[in-house]
Amino acid sequence: MIYGYEIDTSSPGRFALSILPILLIGLRTTVLSMLVGFVIAFFAGLAFALLRRSTYKLVSWPTVAVIEFLRNTPLLMQLFFLYFVLPEYGLMLPAFWTGCIALGLQYAAYMSEVYRAGLEAIPKGQWEAAKALNIARGRVYMAIVIPQIVPRITPAIGNYLVSMMKDTPILSTITVVEMLNLANRIGDRTFEYLVPLSVVGAIFLVLTSVCSALLRGVERIVPKRGIALT
């Protein structure tokens, strides 16, 4: 019995049905960690991109160094560093939030490059015209830049969302109770791993397929309608 649910191993079908409610507990954690991590990545990535474009070298150079570090080191190493090293210096976070932050920071580094590419695609003449008209920088971004870059960056940002979902099983290494963690527990209890791992794989396949379909719909809508921020 796990989380109050009896496991029936008399047949693969009954085994799969009996463990489904248990795995759904982990599914909630999987989806929530993906969403929180994506929100962190979305805004941190934008901040990285803007700081990198700063004309002050004391701002842009350290930002580039942070981005390169996050992009070129494994997510698992960053996760272990946050979970095992920081507590030695008095900074201790719950496993769930540690995982979300690790996911968010890693993908923020990737997404910052997407934002940077979108910003650099804006013709230089538009920046110069906005400056000549003395338009406030914040209004330039909201009314001119963002409506143009959103259609360009939407496909890449969507791909990172799907990739982040597939990376959430890594959080099981720091005891986050997501689906893979529960599948391993079921396997340890029953000594049968094929069914629980197969069910988890099927759930991920359904989730990523649904997300991909929704993102394709968004990609079709955004270029047609655009975004008007005035």
Side-chain angles (χ1 to χ4, degrees):
M1 180 178 290
I2 299 178
Y3 290 109
Y5 293 97
E6 289 285 352
I7 299 175
D8 185 355
T9 59
S10 58
S11 69
R14 290 183 177 180
F15 190 11
L17 289 175
S18 65
I19 65 175
L20 193 57
I22 303 173
L23 295 178
L24 290 179
I25 297 173
L27 174 62
R28 185 166 57 247
T29 302
T30 296
V31 173
L32 187 57
S33 60
M34 177 202 67
L35 293 176
V36 174
F38 182 75
V39 171
I40 294 172
F42 187 87
F43 290 104
L46 179 59
F48 284 158
L50 295 177
L51 290 173
R52 183 171 185 166
R53 289 173 56 85
S54 174
T55 56
Y56 297 100
K57 300 301 182 183
L58 290 177
V59 175
S60 61
W61 286 2
T63 303
V64 171
V66 171
I67 292 172
E68 291 303 314
F69 173 81
L70 292 173
R71 291 179 61 198
N72 297 318
T73 55
L75 174 59
L76 187 60
M77 188 206 76
Q78 297 170 21
L79 189 63
F80 281 2
F81 185 90
L82 292 174
Y83 190 70
F84 294 112
V85 176
L86 291 187
E88 297 180 5
Y89 297 91
L91 184 57
M92 184 176 296
L93 295 173
F96 173 80
W97 287 105
T98 301
C100 291
I101 292 171
L103 280 173
L105 290 178
Q106 168 112 129
Y107 279 89
Y110 293 127
M111 289 167 63
S112 69
E113 293 299 294
V114 176
Y115 288 124
R116 183 174 66 87
L119 291 170
E120 291 183 352
I122 303 298
K124 188 177 180 181
Q126 294 192 26
W127 296 101
E128 294 173 347
K131 185 176 182 180
L133 293 171
N134 199 28
I135 302 176
R137 193 168 185 83
R139 185 167 178 78
V140 171
Y141 278 102
M142 297 300 291
I144 300 173
V145 176
I146 291 179
Q148 293 185 72
I149 70 171
V150 166
R152 295 170 178 166
I153 68 174
T154 297
I157 296 296
N159 286 337
Y160 284 131
L161 174 63
V162 174
S163 295
M164 185 178 292
M165 177 182 292
K166 293 187 292 185
D167 277 346
T168 54
I170 294 178
L171 306 189
S172 65
T173 59
I174 59 169
T175 72
V176 174
V177 184
E178 49 75 58
M179 287 193 294
L180 184 61
N181 185 305
L182 288 175
N184 284 328
R185 292 188 185 185
I186 293 169
D188 292 341
R189 188 72 58 87
T190 62
F191 302 103
E192 294 185 27
Y193 291 90
L194 176 61
V195 171
L197 291 178
S198 298
V199 173
V200 169
I203 292 174
F204 269 111
L205 179 60
V206 171
L207 286 175
T208 54
S209 298
V210 170
C211 282
S212 297
L214 291 175
L215 290 169
R216 284 193 294 270
V218 172
E219 290 172 23
R220 287 193 296 268
I221 293 171
V222 170
K224 292 180 181 179
R225 298 184 181 180
I227 295 180
L229 298 175
T230 58

